[in-house]
Amino acid sequence: MPHKKYTKPQKNLFSLEKLNQLQQQHIENIQKVTQTIETLYILNTQIIEENINLRTQLHLQDQYISNVSHELNTPLTSMMIYAEMLEQHLNKISSSPYLEMSKRLNIQLNRLCHLIQNMLDVTRIDKDQLLLILSTFNLNQLIKEKLADQTHITQNHQFILELDDDINVIADKERMGQVIANLLSNAIKYSPLGGKITISTKNQHTDIKVSICDQGIGIPKDALNKIFERFYRVDYQQTKNFPGMGINLFICKSIITMHKGTLFVENKEEGGSKFSFILPINNTEKLIT
Ligand code: ADP
């Protein structure tokens, strides 16, 4: 019987070819992955570089704002002194037609001074250079003083005080006054049709809550968290253009945070917004540390 010639099974031959193919494919895949990793690496390096450039630009921008504010502050201070002297002098000449002009000049110079001081505060906050000068004082009294400063600028608004008893705090009086004045002037500015503005204080035993509630335009939902950011302003193109620089709330928030308190906002269902801050009562130790 003739010997049957041995032939390798076809299956194995095919497997070897397939194996080579797979190996080739595998090498190609590895090459692709390596290329992708290289591309990602290059992109990452570019992003890091852009990030550094952006930070440098922001730093330069901050430095520029700081320099400009300082440069403007010096001549402005002299102008305010001269304008004040001029007004005092014209006041003595009772019939001077220039007295009214001089008063307006002083009002505008004070506004300019307020703007520049705010810019300087922003740079102080950025550099951690805003200092608190602590004293004990009655917060209700301070609210009444700040309200008296604002009431003359509007006839459309009705102010309602709901003040709790004995609201004494240990805080920086000047800075707390700044917070109250800013929140009040915003409540007036952003309720252009007038309405009630309610200011309330509440002694909650361990802390004090102060709220300023208006019946104004309110704040779009998506902007509620952003309005405390530096330079953030809601875009009111479709409604009215409100003047401002978008730094008041940033300053207010920083001051309250420095007092270990919290500042927050909520929209009222019936319209308008309510800004509140909470200050811990016995916070001297916390503030010193
Ligand atoms: P500015 O008023 O100069 O824009 P702020 O920091 O005081 O800067 O306020 C930031 C933004 O918050 C404002 O642009 C405004 O859109 C919104 N906002 C502040 N207060 C009120 C308020 N009482 N009612 C409605 N919107 C407000």
Side-chain angles (χ1 to χ4, degrees):
M1 205 180 143
H3 268 297
K4 215 178 173 187
K5 203 180 164 196
Y6 172 78
T7 47
K8 217 176 173 183
Q10 275 256 299
K11 198 177 154 210
N12 280 353
L13 262 178
F14 174 78
S15 291
L16 201 64
E17 262 176 42
K18 188 79 184 163
L19 200 69
N20 278 338
Q21 255 182 20
L22 281 174
Q23 201 173 4
Q24 188 56 35
Q25 231 174 36
H26 186 60
I27 291 170
E28 280 170 16
N29 280 344
I30 287 180
Q31 279 171 345
K32 275 185 199 161
V33 170
T34 316
Q35 268 176 6
T36 315
I37 289 176
E38 275 170 11
T39 317
L40 279 176
Y41 180 78
I42 293 168
L43 279 175
N44 195 25
T45 318
Q46 279 173 357
I47 289 173
I48 290 172
E49 272 172 20
E50 273 169 28
N51 214 352
I52 291 171
N53 285 343
L54 208 67
R55 274 168 193 268
T56 316
Q57 267 179 21
L58 277 176
H59 179 72
L60 287 175
Q61 204 175 316
D62 288 348
Q63 197 57 47
Y64 180 73
I65 292 172
S66 165
N67 291 348
V68 170
S69 315
H70 273 107
E71 286 302 317
L72 290 175
N73 198 33
T74 317
L76 181 66
T77 313
S78 316
M79 282 161 76
M80 285 177 74
I81 294 169
Y82 290 128
E84 184 77 28
M85 282 163 64
L86 188 66
E87 191 180 323
Q88 278 172 12
H89 177 72
L90 291 174
N91 236 338
K92 287 181 197 153
I93 316 165
S94 54
S95 60
S96 171
Y98 299 110
L99 181 61
E100 191 50 39
M101 282 186 210
S102 147
K103 280 185 178 159
R104 286 189 193 172
L105 175 69
N106 267 314
I107 291 172
Q108 294 306 327
L109 284 176
N110 274 314
R111 279 188 61 188
L112 195 56
C113 177
H114 180 70
L115 291 176
I116 292 172
Q117 286 309 320
N118 273 351
M119 295 303 292
L120 285 171
D121 277 349
V122 170
T123 56
R124 282 186 197 113
I125 292 166
D126 285 343
K127 292 179 187 168
D128 253 343
Q129 286 174 351
L130 196 88
L131 299 176
L132 297 183
I133 302 167
L134 299 181
S135 64
T136 307
F137 59 92
N138 188 311
L139 199 59
N140 287 342
Q141 189 53 39
L142 185 67
I143 289 172
K144 285 179 195 161
E145 283 168 26
K146 292 297 154 188
L147 187 58
D149 291 344
Q150 304 265 349
T151 40
H152 69 276
I153 57 171
T154 172
Q155 263 111 49
N156 285 347
H157 297 87
Q158 185 192 348
F159 294 94
I160 298 164
L161 286 176
E162 290 172 357
L163 306 179
D164 212 346
D165 295 333
D166 289 336
I167 303 282
N168 286 314
V169 289
I170 299 166
D172 186 316
K173 193 173 177 187
E174 188 80 23
R175 293 294 178 189
M176 289 311 299
Q178 188 178 355
V179 171
I180 293 162
N182 277 341
L183 295 180
L184 273 175
S185 80
N186 272 355
I188 297 170
K189 177 163 77 172
Y190 293 106
S191 48
L193 300 177
K196 289 179 187 156
I197 294 178
T198 311
I199 305 126
S200 61
T201 54
K202 200 156 194 265
N203 191 334
Q204 306 186 130
H205 305 299
T206 53
D207 53 43
I208 278 166
K209 184 174 179 186
V210 179
S211 297
I212 296 176
C213 186
D214 63 57
Q215 297 181 312
I217 58 170
I219 297 158
K221 241 185 184 170
D222 60 336
L224 279 171
N225 288 328
K226 298 183 195 154
I227 54 170
F228 297 102
E229 286 170 18
R230 203 169 64 136
F231 301 126
Y232 182 85
R233 305 202 71 220
V234 176
D235 187 1
Y236 289 113
Q237 267 169 7
Q238 281 154 18
T239 54
K240 203 179 160 209
N241 216 1
F242 297 93
M245 293 199 294
I247 53 176
N248 292 329
L249 289 180
F250 169 74
I251 296 171
C252 291
K253 180 117 187 162
S254 305
I255 293 173
I256 296 294
T257 309
M258 282 179 78
H259 283 85
K260 311 287 178 204
T262 47
L263 170 66
F264 52 94
V265 63
E266 51 202 304
N267 276 327
K268 302 293 294 170
E269 258 175 43
E270 60 273 23
S273 45
K274 181 176 177 182
F275 283 83
S276 306
F277 64 83
I278 294 179
L279 275 186
I281 291 181
N282 292 317
N283 60 352
T284 355
E285 272 175 35
K286 285 188 205 156
L287 290 176
I288 291 166
T289 50

